[in-house]
Amino acid sequence: GYVGLKIDLLGDEKGSVTEVPAGRYFNLSPNVDYQKFPLFVQTYVWTEGKDEGSPIDEAIRFQTSEGMQIAADIGVTFALSPEAGTAKELFLKYRRGIDEIIDAPLRNAVRDSFNRHGAKFTADEIIGEGKSKLIALVYEDVKEQFLPAINIQSLSYLKSPRPPANVIEALNAKVQATQLAIQKQNEVRAAKADADKAIEEARGKAESIL
């Protein structure tokens, strides 16, 4: 399930990278380093909380069209291409192991894409119907950037995107005000219906007396 890389750190072969077959290797030389690149499907999460992923805050933050900052907990599922030379190509490009590639180039690509596309949406859209469109745009961006070496299979929200607390309070107040207005309108309609009913009853009695 892994591809191994042998990296020469010193000597005439300094900087050379060689793929090695599966097996156990005892690294007794300070001149050599080994890296493992998994070929199986992996899932990683960037969250604000400490109960998933890293114990530090890794949530993806970006700005809306109004300049408001949004925080999002994001999960990514991916797999390295099984083709020979892929792991070596990744290491030569980034000079990092797979965990460091997830922490830096991959996360940076996701964050940059959210910033680029998030600026096209309002906070209301991102919290509401626009959030699925936004993450679809980011997914296509990141997938294209890392193919063919890394196949990004999915990118998803772990929770709904979150604006600052004061904005959430304002949005909740707006929803409550709208609901209250609708309630008042319904009460007015009911009162009018009751009044019309009373008028018709009075008219009927008057006609009966006549």
Side-chain angles (χ1 to χ4, degrees):
Y2 288 87
V3 169
L5 296 180
K6 175 187 174 185
I7 302 105
D8 291 296
L9 305 177
L10 299 171
D12 295 338
E13 300 297 322
K14 179 181 178 180
S16 68
V17 179
T18 309
E19 286 195 7
V20 294
R24 186 177 296 277
Y25 295 83
F26 295 94
N27 188 7
L28 303 178
S29 171
N31 299 339
V32 175
D33 187 25
Y34 287 94
Q35 292 278 355
K36 288 194 305 181
F37 282 75
L39 298 178
F40 48 84
V41 175
Q42 295 186 87
T43 298
Y44 194 86
V45 296
W46 297 296
T47 65
E48 186 175 31
K50 298 179 180 181
D51 54 340
E52 289 185 281
S54 171
I56 63 173
D57 181 358
E58 289 188 318
I60 302 296
R61 288 178 170 80
F62 58 96
Q63 289 191 336
T64 66
S65 59
E66 311 103 324
M68 185 184 302
Q69 187 180 76
I70 301 287
D73 293 341
I74 302 296
V76 61
T77 300
F78 64 93
L80 268 62
S81 168
E83 299 228 353
T86 297
K88 179 179 178 180
E89 175 187 338
L90 279 173
F91 183 81
L92 290 174
K93 182 175 182 178
Y94 297 110
R95 289 292 173 180
R96 305 179 187 208
I98 188 63
D99 290 337
E100 294 169 307
I101 290 174
I102 295 170
D103 289 341
L106 181 55
R107 184 178 183 277
N108 289 344
V110 172
R111 183 195 60 201
D112 292 347
S113 185
F114 264 108
N115 272 312
R116 186 163 60 256
H117 292 294
K120 305 171 187 174
F121 295 82
T122 65
D124 284 350
E125 290 171 335
I126 290 172
I127 297 170
E129 296 179 354
K131 66 181 180 182
S132 56
K133 182 178 180 181
L134 172 59
I135 201 160
L137 290 169
V138 175
Y139 168 70
E140 291 299 330
D141 258 7
V142 177
K143 182 178 180 180
E144 182 178 352
Q145 182 173 338
F146 284 91
L147 281 176
I150 301 177
N151 178 22
I152 308 295
Q153 298 184 358
S154 69
L155 193 71
S156 59
Y157 299 110
L158 302 178
K159 299 177 184 175
S160 293
R162 303 179 299 281
N166 62 326
V167 176
I168 294 177
E169 291 174 4
L171 290 173
N172 288 337
K174 179 181 176 182
V175 171
Q176 289 174 355
T178 301
Q179 291 174 341
L180 183 60
I182 293 172
Q183 180 182 342
K184 293 295 183 183
Q185 288 173 357
N186 291 336
E187 290 173 355
V188 169
R189 290 192 190 98
K192 187 176 184 301
D194 289 341
D196 289 344
K197 180 181 177 183
I199 291 170
E200 290 302 320
E201 288 177 350
R203 181 179 290 118
K205 288 180 181 179
E207 289 178 353
S208 296
I209 291 171
L210 289 174

